[in-house]
Amino acid sequence: MSHVCRRHVIATCAMFFLFSCIHSANAEDFGTAEQAKAMVDRVTVFFKANGKEKTLAELSNPKGQFIDRDLYVIAYSLEGIRLAHPYNPKLIGLSVLDAVDFDGKAYGKDIITLANGAGSGWVDYKFTDPTTKKLADKSLYILKAGDLIFGCGIYKR
């Protein structure tokens, strides 16, 4: 193998390693579906131990314990009223029932229908990814607990 060829192989390996590290670091910056579901489960335990008022206050806290990277939990009433949101307090008190994604899917109604039916599961829709500012596929895991619905979403990257 020539000296130039060896340099090329070494440079290629180094670039591959660098891109692998960058990709790995980026992947760790975002929550997974399993982590979103686990966070909703943790909120449910907190709710049972601390009650509605304290839970909604904690979920509305932008530095609260139910935020991890891009994961955070929103709370809704069984009628679809947003009761807690850590990053957009203007949504609190507004209904999710009229929420429609960019393809016209009425995902707000899907959230409430699923919660009042099966009680838990995933709702898929399209939304603007706050990281990339581009339209992306999103999945929201929801769970009905008492008179509340908790939801935590992930962007499919």
Side-chain angles (χ1 to χ4, degrees):
M1 185 182 296
S2 75
H3 184 67
V4 173
C5 186
R6 267 186 282 212
R7 277 190 189 166
H8 183 16
V9 169
I10 291 170
T12 302
C13 288
M15 286 177 52
F16 178 75
F17 177 75
L18 177 66
F19 287 129
S20 295
C21 290
I22 289 170
H23 176 71
S24 171
N26 286 339
E28 293 173 4
D29 290 341
F30 306 111
T32 66
E34 294 79 21
Q35 292 165 335
K37 184 180 180 305
M39 186 171 300
V40 169
D41 291 340
R42 280 188 24 237
V43 169
T44 303
V45 171
F46 184 91
F47 171 58
K48 289 176 182 174
N50 296 283
K52 184 175 183 175
E53 187 175 322
K54 191 169 182 181
T55 302
L56 295 178
E58 186 63 23
L59 294 178
S60 292
N61 178 359
K63 296 184 187 221
Q65 64 179 301
F66 298 110
I67 296 172
D68 177 18
R69 296 161 295 164
D70 64 332
L71 299 177
Y72 58 90
V73 179
I74 300 172
Y76 308 92
S77 72
L78 297 181
E79 295 77 31
I81 303 300
R82 293 177 187 97
L83 301 174
H85 195 298
Y87 296 126
N88 197 347
K90 290 185 276 183
L91 293 176
I92 296 173
L94 301 179
S95 176
V96 73
L97 290 175
D98 58 354
V100 177
D101 78 357
F102 290 93
D103 289 338
K105 180 178 180 180
Y107 71 89
K109 288 180 183 172
D110 290 349
I111 292 169
I112 303 310
T113 300
L114 180 60
N116 288 315
S120 67
W122 292 91
V123 175
D124 295 324
Y125 56 101
K126 292 189 190 288
F127 208 75
T128 302
D129 183 326
T131 305
T132 65
K133 308 293 187 227
K134 295 180 181 177
L135 189 61
D137 290 323
K138 182 173 183 175
S139 288
L140 180 75
Y141 177 74
I142 61 105
L143 176 68
K144 178 181 171 184
D147 64 345
L148 296 177
I149 302 165
F150 299 116
C152 185
I154 59 161
Y155 289 92
K156 297 179 180 180
R157 295 179 169 89

